[in-house]
Amino acid sequence: MPTAFHAVHQVAAPKGMPTADDFAFVTGTLPDPAAGQALVENLYLSVDPYMRECMNGVWELNAPLEGRSVGRVLASEDPRLAVGDLVFHRQGWRTHALITADEARVIRQAEGVPLSAYLSVLGGTGLSAYVALTRIARLQEGESLFISAAAGGVGTAAGQLARILGAGRVIGSAGSPAKVRHLVEDLGFDAAFDYHDGPVATLLREAAPDGVDACLENVGGDHLEAAIDVVRPHGRIVWCGAVSTYNDPEHPPAAPRNLYEVVGKSLRLEGFLVREYPHVQEEMEEALIPHIRSGRLVPDETVADGFGRVVDAFLGMLRGENTGKMIVRVAGA
């Protein structure tokens, strides 16, 4: 049993893009669990775009941060959590955590499924994609779909899921030629474009000259404007994120300038928070695990090794250095 734990605190409010100086690594004595608690050794940590929003006053300074994690129970004073159980919980950014059974979900790891997948295609990112396409967009066989930030965790899961659901055409935007190739050559997208190559609406029109039936929007700004422009009458736009606004919330982009088209084309524009859909987790796992086992659904992940890489992984994710889900593998995983 180790005697110390390591954690990351936010110590300053960033101005624009965060830097390593906004964080501090701290060390403390490993506590024993009290009645109703369990001590968990974190094995995998998730770093996600929404965390940048949390740095704008949501997270308390000089305190442990929040994040999705998968870990193993080392000691327990709660019969609902047994030593050796694998659990999903939200006390990330640290090597060890004290949790209660109400704060955790026991993972029954399926044969043939890597544990890290419970933070990617079977985690919050996969659940975001699943809810977006099955609950909000209600994507139908043969329909076409545009996904912005398609090379990220939600985007790569959604593109593959759209194929499983029978989409007729899947189009994505990404931030580099290499990511565009990855979407088309490795993940089965029909078309993709680098949004640096011109106006997003123009690039999307070229990729989808006949329009699209649905959009999964993760960027905001000019990407949302392009989605409104290109989606067909009576189409659906599912708004999952707005990464273009996170670093400068006081000065959001001018776009979208065509919001009234939501009325003119009788569109449905709906946002959602994945934390409101925990009841869909079991359904998603039952639906997707067979496809993971068959190789039809690939947990697309960029993995940083070692707890000391967690800040670098987070900042790299914000800079777009990952493809798929960015995950930190803690030493010992």
Side-chain angles (χ1 to χ4, degrees):
M1 177 77 71
T3 59
F5 73 93
H6 306 282
V8 173
H9 293 183
Q10 181 186 342
V11 295
K15 302 296 184 182
M17 181 70 178
T19 71
D21 292 337
D22 297 320
F23 300 92
F25 284 84
V26 300
T27 300
T29 301
L30 201 64
D32 294 322
Q37 292 182 323
L39 176 65
V40 173
E41 176 188 24
N42 287 335
L43 303 175
Y44 289 94
L45 306 175
S46 173
V47 290
D48 298 282
Y50 81 87
M51 294 174 171
R52 176 60 188 87
E53 284 189 287
C54 293
M55 296 186 74
N56 296 329
V58 176
W59 281 342
E60 183 181 348
L61 296 183
N62 303 300
L65 305 180
E66 177 270 350
R68 301 179 181 112
S69 178
V70 168
R72 180 182 293 111
V73 175
L74 295 181
S76 178
E77 295 297 331
D78 188 322
R80 295 174 294 175
L81 295 173
V83 172
D85 277 351
L86 295 170
V87 293
F88 170 91
H89 64 91
R90 301 194 68 96
Q91 293 191 40
W93 295 81
R94 67 201 84 181
T95 57
H96 298 78
L98 285 175
I99 64 170
T100 68
D102 294 334
E103 297 170 333
R105 184 181 78 247
V106 176
I107 296 172
R108 308 300 181 192
Q109 187 177 5
E111 183 179 354
V113 176
L115 185 58
S116 60
Y118 291 87
L119 286 180
S120 61
V121 293
L122 298 179
T125 48
L127 186 59
S128 294
Y130 189 84
V131 168
L133 298 191
T134 66
R135 294 300 197 276
I136 314 296
R138 299 186 183 274
L139 190 69
Q140 301 299 306
E141 187 171 353
E143 289 188 323
S144 55
L145 174 70
F146 168 60
I147 304 169
S148 64
V154 173
T156 55
Q160 296 181 84
L161 176 58
R163 279 282 173 245
I164 292 170
L165 294 173
R169 185 169 171 79
V170 181
I171 301 161
S173 70
S176 72
K179 289 184 176 182
V180 167
R181 289 192 299 272
H182 178 60
L183 293 175
V184 175
E185 296 175 5
D186 302 327
L187 298 183
F189 280 65
D190 295 286
F193 59 85
D194 182 345
Y195 63 82
H196 297 105
D197 288 344
V200 176
T202 300
L203 296 170
L204 181 53
R205 272 284 175 207
E206 292 172 352
D210 298 324
V212 296
D213 298 294
C215 303
L216 174 54
E217 231 297 89
N218 298 295
V219 178
D222 57 354
H223 278 74
L224 178 56
E225 184 175 277
I228 293 170
D229 181 59
V230 174
V231 72
R232 298 183 184 116
H234 300 282
R236 295 91 68 201
I237 301 172
V238 184
W239 201 351
C240 183
V243 70
S244 66
T245 70
Y246 295 164
N247 280 326
D248 193 5
E250 295 181 1
H251 301 92
R257 295 158 291 191
N258 57 348
L259 273 175
Y260 193 69
E261 284 299 300
V262 174
V263 176
K265 294 200 288 184
S266 298
L267 306 180
R268 181 157 60 87
L269 171 60
E270 183 174 347
F272 75 100
L273 294 171
V274 71
R275 65 171 178 255
E276 296 178 354
Y277 291 86
H279 55 284
V280 182
Q281 178 72 33
E282 184 175 353
E283 173 192 321
M284 178 190 69
E285 291 185 15
E286 291 179 356
L288 299 189
I289 284 174
H291 296 293
I292 297 173
R293 287 172 169 159
S294 73
R296 191 178 183 191
L297 176 60
V298 178
D300 197 36
E301 301 168 354
T302 297
V303 179
D305 274 309
F307 181 74
R309 296 283 311 282
V310 63
V311 172
D312 291 339
F314 174 64
L315 299 178
M317 178 271 303
L318 292 179
R319 291 191 294 263
E321 295 173 2
N322 59 300
T323 54
K325 179 75 187 74
M326 180 66 91
I327 293 174
V328 178
R329 179 165 46 214
V330 183

